[in-house]
Amino acid sequence: MKFVRIVQTVMCACVVTFGVKAQDIDLTQYVSTLQGTDSHFGLSYGNTYPITARPFAMHAWSPQTGANGEGWKYQYSKDKIQGFCQSHQCSPWVSDYAVYSFMPVVGDLTVAQDQRAQKFAHKHEVARPHYYEVTFDNGMKTEMAPTDRGVHFRFSYPGSGDAYLVIDGYTDMSEVKIDAKKRQVSGWVNNQRFVNDSKSFRSYFVVTFNQPFEDYGVWENVDNKIMPGATSGQGKGYGVYLKFKRGAKVEAKAASSYISEEQAMVTLQHELGDKRRFEDTKLEGQRVWNNLLGRVLVEGGTDEERRTFYSCLYRSNLFSRMFYEIKADGTPYYYSPYNGKIYDGRMYTDNGLWDTFRSQFPLTNILHPTMQGHYMNALLAAQEQCGWLPSWSFPGETGGMLGNHSISLITDAWAKGVRSFDPEKALKAYAHEAMNKGPWGGANGRAGWKEYWQLGYVPYPQSLGCVSQTLEYAYDDFCAYRLAKMVGNDHYATIFAKQMYNYRNLFDKETGFMRGKDENGNWVEPFDPLEWGGPYCEGDAWHYIWSVFHDVQGLIDLFGSNKRFVEKLDSVFTSSNEVHPGTYGGMIHEMKEMQLAEMGQYAHGNQPIQHMPYLYCYAGEPWKTQYWVREILRRLYNSSPKGFPGDEDQGGMSSWYVLSALGIYAVCPGTDEYVIGSPVFNKAIITMENGNKFVIEAQGNSSSNVYIKSATLNGMPLDRNYITYSEINAGGHMKFEMSNQPCTTRGITREAAPFSLSK
Ligand code: CA
């Protein structure tokens, strides 16, 4: 009897706490796609929108509260929705491309975006990764369930009032065709900002309906002119309207292609074939997401922590976007946004690597190494097609931000065992990147590359952001050196070994900061560590001392001792959060976000300093990493529309949360190490692509027991402050004993520190 009761209790615990089997529990219910949507131009709580999509989907879908062309696509504070649009947006700062939208209209036909917009309340909204639903105040219900390259809509019209559907061709040229007999609408749009061959760019779409059209026509959104009965039209912002029976339940299936209308039809048949009903598409999407979210099962923590975790895990798995399509014979091919030609194979786009090399890609290497291999080949293909390695593709290369961080992705993939690309080709492509300047932005090729090679730093005032550039170039050069070393290419190893210590050239012992220098080697005066801009990109001197990802020990040596280094780390959090806008001339949102965080000069709202809390692990005081990481996780993130402490950035900030909540973080992508922090959950089970399971257990964990008292890996004592990718990938069990007191004897030796060139 006793035995049976124990078994029952255990089984109960499995169901009531957090299930062990992914299929037992619907993890999508923990995801809110509204996390971070309560943002505006002046202040970002994520600058996200409710991306409704399959993982890494080619096309995503979103409700739209903003005007066509506006970067703030969906804002939580708005009370009207004007359409449901195909979307690819990475961030409001770059707006969107290949957009067209659907809007159901009840009563009189209105086509203009501000007139057709309808009031709604958030309590009548369901926002999940695979499914979005809203019922407007007028009783009109819209549901959407996307596939990889299409969407399934269900429009449930109220019984009173005429039932219209408006399709909007957005801000640029478009063509529409209506085939009433086939209950089909097709056409293309070509709105975009960053396609390198914009002339050839078209997003072709096909939409089929399960209800007949009672009436129809074409309209254009420049003057909102209606052409009743017209079956086709081409021009700026051309769209269609359709009329259905009053009270109809209309299912619409849509798919898009950058290659042709025929391909859009192939995709429609493949992803949303004839017999498929709305519920089928919705359930399939739920299954896909549950399979992915179930790759990381967590136990313990609060309900809110689980909601935050899974909302972040969803956002970590949206970018980079599959920019390829599947032929009728099942093989992949794509339209190149770099030169407008069609190629066999896979392309990936829509990612700013400056935002994501630090966190999103190191997480992706754990979850999707096969896709990483495809992606590395896509980077090299893009380089052949446009002459440059992508740094900020959207979907063509924009050259946005700084650094040549594709090499970080490439080296990181190689270090973690991905072997499906040619490393020699990658090194050659990188060398070209590092010794040239491309036509777009500062990050294709290198701004200031000649001076960097001649002087060992980028000088001021020739280049704004020169300190940031120098530090990130040196890290990128380290990645090239390391890849060359791993594959036995002495030529490139020798070249880049000379550059990877260049961070030393900008360290000022007097002030303890990285500072700008002019071309004659003089410090830029006057120096104010609180001043943003000038030699620093989107930050101040406090944020850029730490950008020596590959040689933290070398940085400690510049400070002179662990003690001085730790004092400097401590003072980030204890100094005032004062901001001097400098060359920005006024407050930018990142400055406000740093102040709101109330963590001194620690600016988690932007990328440069996000790895800094982990640097205590290099200097013999890992308990301070444990303390601060838990503080950041607890104070700066939640699952609400105000859920991020700044721009989320294509999964970048979400991946920081996911990795850190698991108790690990990649300070130096390009090595195979993850630095140990302090896990939020009592237990996390990561299922690797190869089926191996890696368990991270934190016994006695709680919001006050954030310190690691002792640790073991597969039963053996673990004194170091890092774990390797191969240890994770092999499967195993990392176990911590947690305490409410810092353990000042564990992880304090030089051997315990993670990778540094100077270690
Ligand atoms: Ca950012």
Side-chain angles (χ1 to χ4, degrees), residues 354-355 401 538 589-590 605-608 610 647 649:
W354 187 81
D355 298 320
M401 298 310 290
E538 292 186 359
H589 72 96
E590 285 91 348
N606 206 13
Q607 280 74 10
Q610 286 175 351
D647 283 356
D649 287 333

Side-chain angles (χ1 to χ4, degrees), residues 380 383 387-389 424-434 492:
L380 298 178
Q383 200 272 348
W388 305 92
L389 282 167
E424 296 295 337
K425 205 167 155 185
L427 284 167
K428 216 174 142 200
Y430 176 73
H432 174 261
E433 206 72 27
Y492 284 126

Side-chain angles (χ1 to χ4, degrees), residues 473-605:
Y473 294 173
Y475 161 69
D476 289 336
D477 289 345
F478 156 78
C479 289
Y481 158 82
R482 188 147 176 100
L483 179 61
K485 272 280 188 204
M486 285 189 287
V487 303
N489 184 323
D490 290 341
H491 173 65
Y492 284 126
T494 309
I495 290 177
F496 291 111
K498 286 184 194 143
Q499 305 300 318
M500 61 194 179
Y501 295 102
N502 278 341
Y503 67 87
R504 291 173 180 162
N505 299 336
L506 295 185
F507 185 77
D508 173 22
K509 269 201 160 41
E510 291 289 307
T511 58
F513 287 102
M514 298 287 181
R515 291 180 56 186
K517 267 184 186 169
D518 69 17
E519 58 191 333
N520 299 316
N522 305 308
W523 296 120
V524 175
E525 301 285 357
F527 173 65
D528 172 4
L530 299 179
E531 191 169 296
W532 287 51
Y536 309 97
C537 177
E538 292 186 359
D540 65 20
W542 279 105
H543 308 148
Y544 278 100
I545 318 168
W546 318 107
S547 295
V548 190
F549 314 96
H550 55 297
D551 197 13
V552 179
Q553 183 57 52
L555 185 61
I556 293 170
D557 294 342
L558 289 176
F559 277 96
S561 67
N562 276 353
K563 186 170 168 286
R564 283 200 203 142
F565 183 73
V566 165
E567 276 168 10
K568 194 76 176 185
L569 287 168
D570 288 345
S571 56
V572 168
F573 295 111
T574 55
S575 56
S576 99
N577 60 1
E578 204 180 324
V579 163
H580 298 161
T583 52
Y584 284 99
M587 294 290 279
I588 59 173
H589 72 96
E590 285 91 348
M591 299 172 185
K592 279 188 207 159
E593 288 143 20
M594 183 187 87
Q595 295 194 316
L596 278 175
E598 296 187 331
M599 288 189 173
Q601 287 291 316
Y602 182 68
H604 194 78

Side-chain angles (χ1 to χ4, degrees), residues 272-422:
L272 290 151
D274 287 337
K275 289 191 188 120
R276 180 183 294 232
R277 298 185 326 178
F278 184 83
E279 290 303 325
D280 302 329
T281 310
K282 181 182 166 186
L283 277 172
E284 186 189 72
Q286 191 176 26
R287 213 162 36 235
V288 167
W289 273 109
N290 271 326
N291 283 341
L292 173 46
L293 299 171
R295 299 272 309 280
V296 191
L297 286 178
V298 297
E299 293 175 26
T302 63
D303 189 59
E304 169 58 19
E305 281 164 343
R306 286 193 291 271
R307 286 181 191 285
T308 306
F309 182 82
Y310 283 107
S311 297
C312 285
L313 186 56
Y314 138 82
R315 271 195 197 276
S316 305
N317 286 281
L318 296 170
F319 302 95
S320 305
R321 199 178 286 297
M322 295 183 282
F323 199 83
Y324 60 88
E325 307 178 32
I326 307 294
K327 290 181 199 171
D329 68 7
T331 56
Y333 73 142
Y334 63 90
Y335 161 90
S336 166
Y338 300 104
N339 67 6
K341 294 182 183 157
I342 310 290
Y343 294 90
D344 282 332
R346 296 179 180 85
M347 178 50 65
Y348 290 83
T349 59
D350 296 9
N351 209 317
L353 306 185
W354 187 81
D355 298 320
T356 50
F357 82 87
R358 311 152 207 257
S359 53
Q360 200 247 347
F361 283 98
L363 175 61
T364 300
N365 270 323
I366 291 177
L367 294 175
H368 314 290
T370 303
M371 187 180 79
Q372 279 292 84
H374 295 322
Y375 186 60
M376 297 310 105
N377 280 310
L379 288 174
L380 298 178
Q383 200 272 348
E384 284 182 353
Q385 291 159 19
C386 76
W388 305 92
L389 282 167
S391 57
W392 219 128
S393 64
F394 184 63
E397 172 56 2
T398 74
M401 298 310 290
L402 59 143
N404 312 104
H405 301 312
S406 53
I407 194 66
S408 168
L409 274 54
I410 290 167
T411 304
D412 199 42
W414 193 270
K416 286 160 185 169
V418 176
R419 291 290 179 271
S420 52
F421 64 95
D422 180 356

Side-chain angles (χ1 to χ4, degrees), residues 61 116 144 205 243 247 253 264 276 284 328-329 363 385 389 398-399 452 497 500 525 596 609 611 720 728 734 756:
W61 288 81
R116 70 186 192 224
M144 57 184 186
F205 60 84
K243 189 181 179 192
K253 298 172 180 176
R276 180 183 294 232
E284 186 189 72
D329 68 7
L363 175 61
Q385 291 159 19
L389 282 167
T398 74
Y452 175 77
M500 61 194 179
E525 301 285 357
L596 278 175
I609 199 170
H611 63 296
R720 52 185 151 93
I728 297 171
M734 182 161 67
S756 284

